[in-house]
């Protein structure tokens, strides 16, 4: 049984159809990325999965007892609400102090436990949100543009952590992202959304599909180039004998300039 | 001991202060100050209706406050900004209540007692109701504490953890109606919201966690009610307003202390400026 399956899901918000005919299946251990232009319903899809918006029709089946870790796009904490990092990590369930210390170390922000959440930088807060979601040992991790406010290094760390979490917890990861080139590399499957699922498959396949190009226009060439380029670099580390993919990356990158 | 009206008054005040403190924190955190006002102002309509139907005032106020709170919850997000909607509802409820009271030609009622409270007239039955109401609210909010906090931070964050934010909103609405009903006798319709908000606001600058803020708010509320009762006795002033005045003074002092502390901590540890700068 898949962790999550959506069958012909429709969502209507304020009389407007935001999602139509969504079919999606998520299995344990998969990293799936949702891409799509603004207003294509990416966040709405995540909100439907957590149960915050009710589908107008279709089926959404979660594996019984499914634990979800959710990292929202942004979270505004009212300044009248005093909240230390430790207290925040303990919501809604408390964890042993040792576990919390480890969680902060893993997130790359040790010793911040006594800080007020409102005093953190955007990047630090984003890491705390992820750390909190991971403390619940989720079966499914939902990330809504979770790297907003992180610098390049922070973003790279973030995706490395996601990889490790997938390995250790065996959870599925469904993330929304705009940073196509970075995210594509980190995902097993890409789902391109524009109210309906335009195309889905391996990053390479989606990037070269006409539906994807029609949606994202000339930028796709860049993303594809970046993807292949980076992919090739990754292969350099392998021992000789691994057949190198066609070195189209660099040429394409230059062609697009 | 309960035969002394001052002891009864002090206990009534403490009961209301303790129930209002944690709830008041949520009212502040969720920016529901006007929501509290609207619910409290509806109480005068509840008083009029219970006198008309000759039922218990407590029950009438509870029902009308609950209806008002539910109505506001339902109407929110339907075209009007929340503050406009609450402004309309709070003052309409008060006006309708006052008009309804004027129809009660046969009954002589002391309107002032309902508008500003009459804590010195609390009898043993009132005390039992206040005690039960306070206990109910404190246990309800205590039981749902973590879920309420999570839902206050973010509805979707709560949903993802299997908490229904609408159910938590209902818990708050219900508690608010109960607090209004029990606080009516102590501070009156016009000042109930003050007892919710001022102690919580005064507690903010001293606290690092939500739990600490609820406890400090309870302490400030308790100090205001007992101190206010004492002060009203010495100064021969109306008790309800005196209690709120004392809470307001404590709020002003705490804000000053907070400002001072922030300035001092800034002077002690200069921002991590570039070395040599």
């Amino acid at each position: 049984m898949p962790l999550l399956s959506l069958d012909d899901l429709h969502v209507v918000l304020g009389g407007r159809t935001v999602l139509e005919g969504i079919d999606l299946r998520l299995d344990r251990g998969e990293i799936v990325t949702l891409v799509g232009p603004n207003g294509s319903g990416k966040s709405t899809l995540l909100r439907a999965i957590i149960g915050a918006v009710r589908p107008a029709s279709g089926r959404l089946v979660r594996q019984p007892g499914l634990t979800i870790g959710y990292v929202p796009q942004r979270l505004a904490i009212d300044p009248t609400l005093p909240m230390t990092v430790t207290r925040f990590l303990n919501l809604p369930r408390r964890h042993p102090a040792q576990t919390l210390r480890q969680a902060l170390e893993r997130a790359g922000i040790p010793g911040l436990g006594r800080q007020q959440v409102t005093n953190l930088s955007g990047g630090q807060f984003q890491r705390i949100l992820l750390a909190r979601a991971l403390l619940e040992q989720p079966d499914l991790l939902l990330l809504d543009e979770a790297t907003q406010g992180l610098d390049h290094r922070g973003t790279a760390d973030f995706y490395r952590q996601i990889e490790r979490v997938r390995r250790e917890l065996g959870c599925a990861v469904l993330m929304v992202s705009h940073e196509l080139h970075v995210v594509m590399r980190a995902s097993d499957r890409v789902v391109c959304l524009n109210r309906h699922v335009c195309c889905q498959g391996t990053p390479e396949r989606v990037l070269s599909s006409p539906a994807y190009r029609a949606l994202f226009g000339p930028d796709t060439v860049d993303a594809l180039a970046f993807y292949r380029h980076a992919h090739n670099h990754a292969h350099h580390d392998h021992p000789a004998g691994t057949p190198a993919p066609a070195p189209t990356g660099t040429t394409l990158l230059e062609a697009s300039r | 001991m309960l035969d002394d009206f001052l002891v009864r008054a002090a206990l009534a005040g403490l009961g209301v202060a303790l129930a209002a403190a944690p709830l008041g924190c949520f009212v502040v955190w969720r920016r529901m100050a006007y929501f509290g006002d609207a619910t409290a102002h509806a109480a005068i309509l509840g008083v009029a209706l219970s006198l008309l139907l000759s039922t218990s005032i407590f029950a009438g106020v509870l029902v009308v406050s609950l209806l008002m709170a539910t109505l506001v919850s339902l109407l929110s997000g339907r075209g009007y900004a929340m503050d406009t909607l609450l402004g309309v509802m709070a003052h309409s409820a008060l006006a309708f209540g006052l008009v309804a009271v004027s129809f009660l030609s046969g009954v002589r009622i002391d309107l002032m007692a309902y508008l500003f409270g009459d804590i010195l007239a609390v009898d043993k039955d009132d005390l039992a109701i206040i005690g039960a109401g306070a206990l109910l609210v404190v246990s309800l909010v205590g039981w749902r504490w973590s879920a309420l906090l999570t839902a206050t931070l973010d509805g979707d964050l709560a949903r993802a953890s299997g908490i229904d934010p609408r159910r938590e909103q209902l818990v708050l609405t219900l508690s608010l109606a109960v607090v209004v009903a029990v606080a009516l006798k102590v501070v009156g319709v016009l000042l109930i919201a003050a007892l919710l908000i001022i102690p919580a606001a005064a507690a903010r600058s001293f606290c690092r966690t939500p739990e600490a803020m609820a406890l400090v708010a309870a302490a400030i509320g308790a100090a205001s009610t007992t101190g206010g009762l004492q002060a009203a006795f010495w100064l021969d002033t109306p008790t309800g307003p005196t209690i709120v005045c004392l809470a307001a003074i404590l709020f002003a002092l705490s804000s000053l202390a907070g400002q001072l502390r922030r300035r001092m901590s800034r002077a002690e540890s200069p921002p991590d400026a570039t070395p040599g700068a």
Side-chain angles (χ1 to χ4, degrees):
Chain A
M1 181 182 183
L3 281 183
L4 179 79
S5 68
L6 314 182
D7 280 314
D8 196 26
L9 191 85
H10 286 68
V11 172
V12 179
L13 292 180
R16 206 170 61 88
T17 304
V18 187
L19 290 172
E20 53 184 340
I22 306 288
D23 292 317
L24 187 70
R25 217 153 303 273
L26 268 176
D27 287 305
R28 196 162 272 286
E30 267 192 305
I31 298 186
V32 177
T33 300
L34 278 176
V35 296
N38 289 334
S40 58
K42 302 182 298 279
S43 295
T44 307
L45 184 56
L46 292 196
R47 296 190 70 225
I49 292 172
I50 61 172
V53 289
R54 201 180 287 263
S57 66
R59 263 157 47 95
L60 192 159
V61 182
R62 278 176 239 154
Q63 195 183 66
L66 181 79
T67 310
I68 295 179
Y70 174 61
V71 178
Q73 199 169 25
R74 62 181 69 82
L75 184 67
I77 294 188
D78 198 279
T80 58
L81 176 56
M83 183 70 76
T84 59
V85 168
T86 305
R87 185 68 192 92
F88 180 71
L89 292 175
N90 274 322
L91 277 176
R93 272 168 283 277
R94 290 192 180 268
H95 305 278
Q98 179 66 26
T99 313
L100 294 182
R101 253 198 309 280
Q102 280 169 1
L104 287 177
E105 271 167 29
R106 288 200 148 185
I109 37 173
L112 276 186
R114 286 179 54 77
Q115 283 280 326
Q116 285 289 308
V117 171
T118 38
N119 291 342
L120 300 180
S121 73
Q124 285 172 329
F125 187 53
Q126 220 51 46
R127 288 158 191 253
I128 298 283
L129 279 173
L130 178 65
R132 180 189 162 277
L134 294 180
L135 279 169
E136 297 283 304
Q137 307 247 332
D139 305 307
L140 171 61
L141 187 59
L142 300 176
L143 309 171
D144 195 352
E145 299 199 29
T147 52
Q148 264 185 356
L150 292 181
D151 54 17
H152 283 295
R153 170 106 180 267
T155 308
D157 283 351
F158 193 89
Y159 288 114
R160 257 198 297 281
Q161 212 193 346
I162 300 290
E163 268 286 344
R164 197 177 61 210
V165 164
R166 186 251 303 253
R167 242 188 356 256
E168 287 172 7
L169 290 179
C171 61
V173 181
L174 177 62
M175 54 186 172
V176 166
S177 185
H178 274 140
E179 297 154 314
L180 296 181
H181 50 282
V182 188
V183 131
M184 293 272 181
R185 255 190 298 162
S187 11
D188 303 320
R189 192 147 60 94
V190 174
V191 176
C192 175
L193 195 70
N194 190 22
R195 269 197 4 201
H196 61 281
V197 176
C198 301
C199 53
Q200 59 173 316
T202 59
E204 186 124 317
R205 230 180 89 196
V206 167
L207 282 170
S208 49
S209 90
Y212 178 83
R213 288 174 180 222
L215 205 55
F216 285 95
D219 284 350
T220 52
V221 182
D222 259 344
L224 183 60
F226 203 102
Y227 173 74
R228 287 200 174 133
H229 190 67
H231 221 68
N232 293 348
H233 274 294
H235 279 277
H236 288 317
D237 300 335
H238 287 279
T242 317
T248 45
T250 2
T251 12
L252 259 177
L253 188 65
E254 268 150 24
S256 70
R257 277 186 185 147
Chain B
M1 187 179 84
L2 292 182
D3 291 331
D4 184 345
F5 74 99
L6 267 181
V7 172
R8 287 198 303 268
L11 286 176
L14 281 175
V16 170
L18 294 185
L23 190 62
C25 288
F26 281 106
V27 170
V28 169
W29 296 333
R30 297 170 78 113
R31 305 191 167 220
M32 289 165 56
Y34 249 112
F35 190 78
D37 244 359
T39 310
H41 287 185
I44 201 78
L45 192 59
V47 170
L49 290 179
S50 14
L51 288 174
L52 266 172
L53 305 170
S54 42
T55 57
S56 116
I57 297 223
F58 176 77
V61 168
L62 188 63
V63 168
V64 173
S65 301
L66 207 53
L67 282 178
M68 183 65 164
T70 316
L71 191 63
V72 172
S73 292
L74 288 179
L75 283 178
S76 65
R78 301 216 176 158
Y80 288 105
M82 196 61 181
D83 60 340
T84 307
L85 188 65
L86 287 171
V88 171
M89 304 284 282
H91 300 112
S92 319
L94 187 61
F96 274 106
L98 292 174
V99 169
V101 168
S102 76
F103 280 126
L104 299 166
S105 48
V107 199
R108 268 189 59 233
I109 66 161
D110 180 9
L111 200 55
M112 288 295 274
Y114 293 109
L115 288 178
F116 296 108
D118 195 4
I119 193 173
L120 298 179
V122 167
D123 59 26
K124 282 181 187 167
D125 289 348
D126 294 331
L127 203 55
I129 287 178
I130 291 172
L135 195 66
L136 177 72
V137 168
V138 169
S139 13
L140 197 59
V141 173
W143 172 48
R144 303 302 310 164
W145 184 262
S146 253
L148 276 169
L149 263 182
T150 312
T152 299
L153 278 177
D154 186 68
D156 287 351
L157 212 62
R159 286 258 184 215
S161 303
I163 296 162
D164 184 351
R166 280 173 316 179
R167 191 183 53 204
E168 304 313 320
Q169 170 77 42
L170 190 68
V171 168
L172 285 183
T173 305
L174 197 74
S175 309
L176 199 58
V178 174
V179 163
V180 166
V182 300
L184 180 69
K185 190 95 183 183
V186 174
V187 281
V189 170
L190 293 180
L191 295 175
I192 289 173
L195 215 54
L196 281 168
I197 294 154
I198 300 178
R204 172 61 186 102
S205 48
F206 303 112
C207 301
R208 303 177 44 81
T209 61
E211 289 76 15
M213 183 160 152
L215 289 176
V216 175
I220 292 176
S224 308
T225 39
T226 45
L229 203 58
Q230 220 19 279
F233 192 69
W234 287 332
L235 303 171
D236 193 21
T237 47
T239 319
T242 312
I243 289 173
V244 175
C245 285
L246 190 56
I249 291 169
L250 290 177
F251 169 77
L253 290 177
S254 110
S255 307
L256 271 176
Q259 290 268 341
L260 220 63
R261 219 174 44 162
R262 265 197 296 282
R263 206 161 287 178
M264 269 161 63
S265 70
R266 221 174 291 155
E268 262 170 37
S269 60
D272 33 3
T274 45

